[in-house]
């Protein structure tokens, strides 16, 4: 049985991962059935990329296009539909889209609507150990690219545009869910039994019922709480600092194709990455301690630029010293670069960052989360409601899109075979496919974070040796690229 959950008061208690206990919850019911209940086949809570992609996939499939759908989103979707930035500015919320995710978005008619001038495929990637610059691994893929960078608002706008081309559905934006409970027990004279259907009371007071309730409502998912599904994990005690930066010169081309490169360096406090955006721009993602993150955000623009350039060029001891400075950071970098003989070489390190886009610097806490299950009776979880991953592999959005693709196929299978789309046995197809697949990715990123968080001792030498060996073994590198691109088996 499920617990009655007011959204505003819901808080998830999280634990370290252990053997999963049997779920227990205590069902409460709505007190009465409305005279004309508003029943939907699928109600999706959350209008981010995962939720919008699911609705698009269902509307795009001939088998599910007739379903009665509803979207509940707390934000105003007009802002997302009309999102615009000048050509020389980029949103700091950007993601790398793998070839598999791109193919799925193309299949449902979304990718052609993403503004192509704001996309940046990259064909090369270089990753190295900050404590041993000779320990590195490089990837190259002329076609398809390793991944394509896009701003999240660019993708969200394309999804909304695609949905406008498809049959309409009910949208409740600028709307919060006040309560989720099970439908009321049937009265003797009633022929309609909605007691197993989730009943959502939205902020207007309206009640809607769902054959299938989909939680695309993020880390602290109230839908997950209603379903009685525990989410387990831990906080990394790290923050991700993001910003849009501008290189000192345009990206160069060679070899007959776009040689744009993504760079990532692992230092003990966390990895730092520069992921190319169109032209001279790049997205910065710097994982570090909360204290250092706060200091980076408080720096003057020129000093933040100096710290980013230092993080890709100087030894960790130099970087730690500079992290303690309150001013004179630019001059300190210039002096230390001269003393240490840093050579600018795009094959090894990114070009010098020239500036940081005003207002683009932000940070967010990093966490590991995995729900015990992605389904319950008449409930399915997707995206961050189901799992939260460390950003070092750039797989968060791709994992959510893979969830959507699998769930949409599961719903389509149930419709084609006359099944109940909310039945837990039907939803098992989705859970069986995605839970373990996501768990493997969560485990890999978690172990990499911990492995490269070690700053001294034999582990440093062993990990350096291992990375060098992998870089020299073509078949293993190829397998890793397929896994990262979402095309591995």
């Amino acid at each position: 049985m499920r617990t009655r959950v007011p959204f505003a008061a819901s808080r998830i208690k999280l634990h370290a991962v252990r053997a999963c206990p049997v779920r227990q919850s205590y069902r409460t019911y709505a007190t009465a059935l409305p005279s004309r209940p508003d029943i939907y086949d699928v109600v999706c809570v959350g209008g981010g990329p995962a939720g919008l992609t699911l609705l698009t996939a269902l509307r795009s499939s001939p088998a599910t296009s007739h379903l009665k759908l509803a979207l509940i989103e707390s934000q105003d979707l007009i802002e997302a539909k009309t999102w615009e930035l000048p050509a020389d500015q980029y949103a700091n919320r950007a993601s790398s889209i793998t070839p598999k995710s791109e193919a799925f978005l193309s299949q449902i008619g979304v990718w052609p609507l993403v503004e192509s001038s704001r996309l940046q495929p990259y064909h090369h990637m270089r990753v190295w150990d900050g404590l041993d610059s000779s320990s590195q691994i490089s990837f190259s893929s002329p076609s398809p690219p390793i991944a394509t960078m896009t701003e999240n608002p660019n993708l969200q706008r394309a999804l909304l545009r695609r949905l406008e081309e498809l049959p309409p559905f009910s949208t409740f934006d600028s709307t919060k869910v006040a309560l989720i409970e099970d439908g009321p027990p049937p009265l003797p004279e009633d022929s309609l039994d909605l007691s197993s259907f989730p009943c959502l009371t939205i902020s207007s007071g309206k009640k809607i019922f769902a054959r299938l309730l989909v939680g695309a409502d993020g880390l602290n998912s109230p839908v997950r709480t209603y379903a009685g599904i525990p989410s387990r994990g831990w906080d990394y005690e790290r923050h991700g600092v993001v910003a849009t930066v501008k290189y000192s010169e345009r990206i160069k081309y060679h070899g007959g194709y776009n040689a744009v490169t993504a760079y990532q360096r692992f230092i003990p406090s966390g990895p730092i990455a520069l992921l190319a955006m169109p032209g001279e721009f790049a997205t910065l993602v710097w994982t570090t301690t909360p204290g250092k993150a706060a200091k980076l955000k408080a720096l003057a623009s020129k000093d933040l630029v100096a710290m980013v350039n230092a993080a890709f060029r100087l030894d960790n001891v130099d970087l730690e010293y500079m992290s303690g400075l309150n001013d004179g950071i630019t001059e300190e970098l210039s002096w230390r670069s001269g003393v240490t003989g840093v050579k600018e070489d795009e094959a090894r390190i990114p070009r010098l960052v020239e500036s940081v886009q005003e207002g683009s610097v932000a940070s967010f806490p990093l966490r590991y989360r995995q729900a015990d299950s992605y389904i319950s009776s008449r409930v399915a979880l997707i995206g961050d409601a189901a799992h939260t991953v460390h950003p070092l592999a750039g797989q968060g959005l791709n994992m959510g899109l893979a969830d959507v693709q699998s769930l949409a196929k599961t719903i389509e299978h149930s419709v084609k075979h006359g099944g109940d789309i909310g039945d837990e046995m039907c939803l098992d197809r989705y859970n069986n496919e995605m839970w373990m697949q996501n768990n493997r990715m969560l485990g890999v990123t978690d172990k990499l974070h911990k492995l490269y968080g070690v700053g001294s001792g034999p582990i440093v030498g062993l990990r350096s040796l291992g990375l060098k060996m992998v870089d020299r073994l073509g078949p293993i590198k190829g397998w890793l690229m397929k896994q990262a691109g979402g095309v591995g088996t």
Side-chain angles (χ1 to χ4, degrees):
M1 296 185 181
R2 296 176 176 134
T3 306
R4 188 172 183 263
V5 181
F7 266 34
S10 65
R11 294 291 185 273
I12 314 300
K13 184 176 181 181
L14 298 145
H15 310 273
V17 173
R18 299 187 179 91
C20 300
V22 176
R23 296 199 304 271
Q24 293 184 351
S25 55
Y26 301 90
R27 186 186 299 263
T28 62
Y29 297 93
T31 55
L33 188 66
S35 56
R36 298 184 65 181
D38 201 359
I39 305 171
Y40 291 86
D41 293 307
V42 180
V43 175
C44 180
V45 179
L52 293 176
T53 305
L54 176 65
L55 295 173
T56 306
L58 294 176
R59 273 289 182 259
S60 299
S61 168
T64 57
S65 61
H66 67 282
L67 295 178
K68 187 178 180 182
L69 309 179
L71 169 66
I72 303 173
E73 165 57 36
S74 61
Q75 302 298 314
D76 183 358
L77 291 178
I78 294 296
E79 294 183 10
K81 289 179 184 177
T82 58
W83 174 83
E84 291 284 351
L85 278 179
D88 61 348
Q89 293 183 23
Y90 290 89
N92 60 7
R93 292 180 298 132
S95 298
S96 58
I97 304 295
T98 64
K100 180 182 179 181
S101 295
E102 181 180 333
F104 174 49
L105 292 169
S106 296
Q107 176 190 330
I108 61 177
V110 174
W111 196 248
L113 299 177
V114 179
E115 188 176 344
S116 59
S117 64
R118 303 185 72 87
L119 297 177
Q120 181 59 67
Y122 59 90
H123 298 265
H124 301 269
M125 186 170 188
R126 183 170 187 270
V127 181
W128 71 101
D129 191 333
L131 298 183
D132 180 0
S133 59
S134 67
S135 173
Q136 60 93 34
I137 186 168
S138 298
F139 299 98
S140 294
S141 177
S143 181
I146 295 173
T148 298
M149 292 299 299
T150 181
E151 301 150 287
N152 290 4
N154 189 12
L155 176 58
Q156 189 175 16
R157 182 181 59 184
L159 286 161
L160 290 168
R161 288 176 175 175
R162 174 58 176 152
L163 284 168
E164 288 179 341
E165 300 175 350
L166 297 168
F169 60 94
S170 298
T171 301
F172 303 96
D173 62 340
S174 301
T175 300
K176 295 183 178 181
V177 179
L179 181 68
I180 310 178
E181 55 192 341
D182 287 331
L187 298 174
E189 64 273 16
D190 286 341
S191 59
L192 184 62
D193 182 1
L194 298 179
S195 59
S196 68
F197 281 37
C199 173
L200 297 91
T201 304
I202 58 178
S203 49
S204 65
K206 180 181 178 66
K207 292 181 181 291
I208 60 176
F209 295 82
R211 287 178 65 199
L212 173 62
L213 174 61
V214 177
D217 48 350
L219 175 70
N220 295 317
S221 168
V223 172
R224 187 181 64 231
T225 304
Y226 157 75
I229 301 174
S231 179
R232 304 174 190 277
W234 46 81
D235 294 353
Y236 282 115
E237 301 300 327
R238 292 291 187 274
H239 282 203
V241 177
V242 295
T244 300
V245 301
K246 184 179 180 180
Y247 284 129
S248 57
E249 59 183 38
R250 289 187 60 80
I251 293 170
K252 296 182 179 178
Y253 298 82
H254 62 78
Y257 60 90
N258 190 338
V260 177
T261 302
Y263 300 90
Q264 186 172 47
R265 185 189 190 193
F266 282 89
I267 51 182
S269 59
I272 179 171
L274 278 174
L275 307 170
M277 298 299 288
E280 305 167 354
F281 299 92
T283 289
L284 168 72
V285 184
W286 190 343
T287 298
T288 189
T289 62
K292 289 180 179 177
K295 188 163 185 178
L296 287 171
K297 290 195 296 180
L299 288 176
S301 179
K302 67 171 187 175
D303 288 331
L304 178 56
V305 166
M307 286 300 300
V308 172
N309 288 327
F312 283 100
R313 288 162 174 79
L314 299 183
D315 290 340
N316 190 59
V317 63
D318 296 306
L319 189 60
E320 285 294 315
Y321 175 80
M322 290 179 62
S323 297
L325 299 178
N326 294 317
D327 53 37
I329 296 174
T330 303
E331 294 74 17
E332 188 69 24
L333 171 62
S334 178
W335 179 80
R336 288 179 181 268
S337 296
V339 169
T340 57
V342 173
K343 295 181 180 179
E344 296 300 324
D345 178 5
E346 284 189 47
R348 298 189 310 107
I349 56 178
R351 293 174 312 283
L352 286 165
V353 170
E354 179 181 86
S355 62
V356 176
Q357 181 178 301
E358 185 177 356
S360 70
V361 183
S363 69
F364 54 93
L366 304 184
R367 301 180 174 98
Y368 172 108
R369 298 288 189 273
Q370 171 77 313
D372 281 4
S373 172
Y374 295 169
I375 63 167
S376 182
S377 177
R378 302 205 176 279
V379 172
L381 306 174
I382 58 176
D384 286 352
H387 44 75
T388 305
V389 66
H390 195 293
L392 65 86
Q395 292 298 309
L397 179 57
N398 294 299
M399 290 169 67
L401 293 176
D403 291 344
V404 169
Q405 187 171 18
S406 176
L407 180 58
K409 286 182 179 178
T410 297
I411 295 171
E412 183 176 325
H413 181 272
S414 295
V415 170
K416 286 181 175 179
H417 292 81
D420 180 351
I421 63 173
D423 184 80
E424 196 164 358
M425 291 185 65
C426 293
L427 292 172
D428 266 338
R429 293 172 60 91
Y430 163 60
N431 192 62
N432 291 343
E433 179 180 10
M434 296 311 303
W435 193 93
M436 186 55 70
Q437 178 178 314
N438 288 335
N439 201 58
R440 285 195 294 268
M441 179 60 71
L442 287 162
V444 168
T445 55
D446 180 62
K447 289 174 178 62
L448 282 173
H449 166 78
K450 292 171 179 174
L451 178 65
Y452 280 94
V454 177
S456 61
I459 290 179
V460 174
L462 289 172
R463 78 187 181 205
S464 296
L465 177 62
L467 194 61
K468 291 175 185 177
M469 290 179 62
V470 171
D471 189 49
R472 293 168 184 167
L473 297 174
I476 295 180
K477 282 179 65 173
W479 180 84
L480 289 172
M481 280 191 63
K482 288 182 179 180
Q483 297 300 311
V487 295
T489 55

